[in-house]
Amino acid sequence: MSALLEIEDVTMRFGGLCAISNCRMTVPAGITHGIIGPNGAGKTTLFNLITGIYRPTEGIIRYKGRKISGQRPSRIALEGIGRTFQNIRIFKSLTVLENVRIAYDSQLRYGPMESLMRVGRYGRAEDESIARSMELLEHFGLSGFASIPASGLSYGSQRRLEIARALALKPALLLLDEPAAGMNTGETSALTEFLRDIRDHFQVTMILIEHHMHLVMNLCDKITVLDFGRVIADGTPAEIRANPRVIEAYLGESTE
Amino acid sequence: MENIRRFCVRLADRRWILPVLLVLGMTFCVVAESTSLLNSYTRFVLTAMLVNVILCVSLNLVNGYLGEFSVGHAGFMALGAYASAMLTTCLFPQTPALFIPAILVGGLMAAVVGFFLALLSFKTRGDYLAIITLAFLMIVKSALENISWVGGPRGLAGIPTLTTLPIAFATAIITLWVIRNLIYSKFGRAVVAIREDEIAANAMGVRTREAKILAFTVSSFFGGVAGALLAHQITFINPGSFDIVKSTEILVMVYLGGIGSLAGSILGAVIFTFLSEALREYGTWRMVILPLILVLLMIFRPRGIMGLRELPWFLPRRELFNRRKKS
Ligand SMILES: Nc1ncnc2c1ncn2[C@@H]1O[C@H](COP(=O)(O)OP(=O)(O)OP(=O)(O)O)[C@@H](O)[C@H]1O
Ligand SMILES: [Mg+2]
């Protein structure tokens, strides 16, 4: 079985600080992979490396067998990696619909001249992009808000919009950075169901960073534990729960 | 007050008003140009206003829609003005038919330089556009001062008066039309996404560098077009006509009318033109008042009057359908 994502001995240094050191990780297609670890462990940095926001100091990242480290973030996104951000990064003053359309735009095939003269493929492509984006919003229960500015959405809806937007890229791999941040226990279990539904409906491989143990243990097939930029454990939820190093480094301080 | 507001909203929804206004406007311009309906001063101010609309909407593309800060627009005007004036004055005098191609040459000249400037400025992540465009402005000015065949510091005189009211009107409409069609397409949405959040735009597959270069090049093109019109309106240009003061004036228009808005650009240009005519008698005080207005705007109303809002007249129908539901 060939892996969807392979991280090979990746190191990321910021000046003297080693945010990720010699990280190895393999994510096969079709699974949901959790990344946990204390604050500052390097989880977000790992996402930024995968999506090309940072270039690894050392090491290689492969996606579908092809090297993606060193590519531009837009190129990596178009290869089929969608993501959300720990601190929501939606396009605030654009409408909810426009947020999704921007991600969908990369699939539209028309040239500048066609859009200038409003001829050729332009009209149909735009109509189709609106229709598809509305479908997506419908699925996320956001279609009623399509024409309001995204900043007008509630916090939870903004998080959902961010996921919808990422899915508009039609990614094979979806990276979620703390999707349950700021949610209470009830909301978190609803999110668990929601993410499960997304995974099945859109057929994406997911990697998610989470602090809510419940969500991670319930949803993930595999878990990687990071601490000070190092992978300290790797395995199924049951293995992770039983791993003494993990309990010491992470679960020990905040069991939930 | 509420009644007035409601009336405006209803007016804004009547999209057929725009084509009617266009026809009336064009007719008015043609009549005004060929009869003595308006005195020459009024005609001059109206023409200047239309040129200002072109300047304002094209700079808005970079400073408003893209969210970068360019101060070099006067430089692109200079390129357009000089390139077109060289054609109509020195190379092919007495061929007024050449005016339209000359405008295009002016725009292209500015666009080519704009393209390379953008290539340079958007190479790295950092935003040095303000500094780079400032440097560009100074380079253009001193280059023009030192090239003797374009008149050096004394400039070019005796440029034929070719910018008529109808030509200025038509060019302004074409500019608005092109920029509007660009904005409401995947290219424009990419530009706007960069303003909202460059990192997120990147992560959504927006080729940010290409989008920035496109916006900047188109903006430069119309800056050059406006310069060409201006040259053939005032019939005399020198390097000093295109300095930082000129750039500041355009910035005031943009930030007054509203960033990221076509209606705002028109409004800004119109208000500015009349304001600046009213202030003309105060001479050098304008140099104090204008930057002051700019600073106050940036502090108290950084998005301007229309700020990111658009008149439904300018929206494509399919975008409109979606906004309607808002109310
Ligand atoms: N651009 C950067 N420049 C310098 N240091 C950085 C940069 N990005 C991250 N770091 C550092 O790298 C380390 C890992 O940060 P990261 O954001 O990846 O942690 P995290 O595991 O996501 O933590 P949290 O759970 O708080 O989100 C931190 O010490 C952080 O300060
Ligand atoms: Mg983080």
Side-chain angles (χ1 to χ4, degrees):
Chain A
M1 181 179 57
S2 102
L4 186 65
L5 184 77
E6 295 157 284
I7 297 174
E8 294 171 9
D9 296 312
V10 165
T11 297
M12 182 73 213
R13 270 188 282 271
F14 295 110
L17 182 100
C18 202
I20 293 286
S21 44
N22 282 313
C23 177
R24 260 168 196 262
M25 204 171 114
T26 307
V27 181
I31 74 157
T32 300
H33 193 114
I35 296 178
I36 61 174
N39 292 111
K43 306 181 294 295
T44 300
T45 304
L46 194 60
F47 271 16
N48 288 340
L49 286 166
I50 297 171
T51 53
I53 293 177
Y54 301 147
R55 285 176 184 206
T57 321
E58 285 161 35
I60 291 180
I61 301 173
R62 285 182 216 280
Y63 175 72
K64 291 183 175 168
R66 262 188 311 211
K67 181 177 170 222
I68 54 165
S69 43
Q71 304 268 26
R72 295 165 64 191
S74 55
R75 177 75 191 279
I76 294 173
L78 298 176
E79 293 275 331
I81 301 183
R83 72 170 291 181
T84 66
F85 295 87
Q86 185 170 351
N87 316 306
I88 305 177
R89 281 180 179 271
I90 49 174
F91 305 123
K92 285 206 176 67
S93 55
L94 305 187
T95 67
V96 171
L97 178 64
E98 281 165 337
N99 266 269
V100 177
R101 279 177 77 186
I102 284 166
Y104 199 86
D105 278 340
S106 59
Q107 290 150 53
L108 303 183
R109 297 271 166 269
Y110 60 77
M113 272 305 148
E114 280 165 298
S115 77
L116 214 58
M117 310 307 287
R118 316 259 116 166
V119 294
R121 295 169 290 185
Y122 169 83
R124 201 190 298 164
E126 291 283 287
D127 285 338
E128 191 189 307
S129 121
I130 292 179
R132 289 286 171 79
S133 305
M134 283 304 282
E135 267 172 39
L136 203 54
L137 288 176
E138 197 90 51
H139 192 87
F140 282 73
L142 291 168
S143 58
F145 306 104
S147 53
I148 68 164
S151 58
L153 291 179
S154 70
Y155 177 81
S157 300
Q158 292 192 3
R159 283 232 170 258
R160 267 183 298 157
L161 173 60
E162 219 191 7
I163 299 175
R165 186 181 65 176
L167 285 170
L169 274 172
K170 301 224 174 96
L173 178 64
L174 180 64
L175 312 179
L176 303 174
D177 197 343
E178 303 200 14
M183 290 187 181
N184 62 32
T185 320
E187 289 167 330
T188 307
S189 47
L191 183 74
T192 312
E193 284 318 303
F194 177 66
L195 292 179
R196 193 170 278 141
D197 168 70
I198 286 175
R199 180 184 62 188
D200 300 339
H201 189 271
F202 295 94
Q203 307 263 302
V204 285
T205 304
M206 275 203 277
I207 304 181
L208 62 104
I209 296 175
E210 246 320 320
H211 283 298
H212 287 70
M213 278 309 132
H214 224 76
L215 191 154
V216 179
M217 294 294 171
N218 269 325
L219 201 64
C220 298
D221 306 304
K222 272 292 210 42
I223 295 172
T224 296
V225 188
L226 283 182
D227 193 22
F228 292 110
R230 285 175 195 285
V231 176
I232 60 164
D234 204 353
T236 64
E239 286 166 0
I240 295 299
R241 233 191 299 249
N243 189 318
R245 281 188 75 187
V246 178
I247 295 170
E248 184 195 333
Y250 188 67
L251 298 177
E253 54 187 81
S254 70
T255 15
E256 207 196 329
Chain B
M1 198 59 203
E2 181 55 25
N3 277 341
I4 297 174
R5 212 190 66 88
R6 211 172 303 157
F7 176 73
C8 289
V9 168
R10 211 175 311 152
L11 212 60
D13 275 341
R14 302 271 147 83
R15 283 163 59 85
W16 52 264
I17 295 177
L18 185 64
V20 171
L21 279 182
L22 287 184
V23 172
L24 286 180
M26 195 62 198
T27 316
F28 175 80
C29 287
V30 171
V31 171
E33 192 63 40
S34 48
T35 64
S36 51
L37 182 68
L38 301 176
N39 62 30
S40 62
Y41 171 73
T42 315
R43 274 211 305 265
F44 190 88
V45 173
L46 283 181
T47 309
M49 188 180 86
L50 291 165
V51 172
N52 281 342
V53 168
I54 300 173
L55 287 170
C56 187
V57 72
S58 56
L59 185 63
N60 211 331
L61 197 55
V62 170
N63 288 40
Y65 290 99
L66 179 59
E68 294 277 345
F69 199 89
S70 163
V71 298
H73 221 46
F76 296 114
M77 286 180 78
L79 295 175
Y82 271 85
S84 62
M86 285 303 290
L87 278 179
T88 56
T89 316
C90 306
L91 295 179
F92 306 102
Q94 265 97 46
T95 27
L98 225 64
F99 185 41
I100 305 287
I103 295 175
L104 286 176
V105 167
L108 284 177
M109 177 82 187
V112 168
V113 175
F115 173 79
F116 285 108
L117 201 63
L119 215 57
L120 198 82
S121 314
F122 301 129
K123 197 166 184 131
T124 50
R125 280 260 172 85
D127 295 330
Y128 301 112
L129 192 65
I131 295 165
I132 290 183
T133 48
L134 183 64
F136 157 74
L137 195 59
M138 285 148 77
I139 291 168
V140 168
K141 191 167 173 249
S142 55
L144 291 173
E145 275 167 357
N146 287 294
I147 301 173
S148 55
W149 49 270
V150 296
R154 278 175 301 120
L156 280 177
I159 304 169
T161 315
L162 295 173
T163 304
T164 59
L165 204 45
I167 286 183
F169 187 81
T171 314
I173 297 306
I174 292 170
T175 307
L176 283 163
W177 182 76
V178 166
I179 290 180
R180 176 260 205 190
N181 282 1
L182 190 72
I183 289 301
Y184 295 103
S185 74
K186 61 174 182 178
F187 306 102
R189 281 192 295 274
V191 167
V192 173
I194 294 170
R195 174 193 70 209
E196 293 292 308
D197 191 321
E198 188 167 350
I199 288 179
N202 251 312
M204 293 308 123
V206 171
R207 294 200 193 90
T208 50
R209 192 164 166 223
E210 284 84 342
K212 287 176 179 182
I213 292 174
L214 178 72
F216 198 80
T217 307
V218 172
S219 168
S220 316
F221 176 83
F222 287 109
V225 166
L229 290 180
L230 184 78
H232 294 82
Q233 182 197 7
I234 59 180
T235 70
F236 163 71
I237 52 173
N238 65 354
S241 330
F242 306 101
D243 55 1
I244 188 75
V245 177
K246 188 72 207 173
S247 276
T248 311
E249 290 182 3
I250 312 169
L251 287 169
V252 171
M253 289 184 232
V254 170
Y255 291 97
L256 176 69
I259 59 163
S261 167
L262 300 173
S265 301
I266 299 172
L267 200 63
V270 171
I271 296 176
F272 177 85
T273 308
F274 289 119
L275 205 68
S276 114
E277 281 312 308
L279 288 176
R280 191 162 291 283
E281 55 187 295
Y282 299 104
T284 44
W285 276 101
R286 284 179 76 229
M287 308 275 257
V288 179
I289 296 169
L290 282 181
L292 203 64
I293 294 177
L294 185 59
V295 169
L296 291 176
L297 274 170
M298 298 296 277
I299 295 173
F300 294 107
R301 202 162 169 123
R303 288 175 165 188
I305 298 172
M306 286 299 286
L308 301 184
R309 286 177 301 166
E310 193 57 274
L311 196 61
W313 295 356
F314 297 122
L315 295 172
R317 209 165 283 279
R318 61 172 66 81
E319 307 286 338
L320 194 73
F321 146 76
N322 213 276
R323 289 196 190 203
R324 272 286 168 69
K325 283 192 277 178
K326 205 182 299 186
S327 48

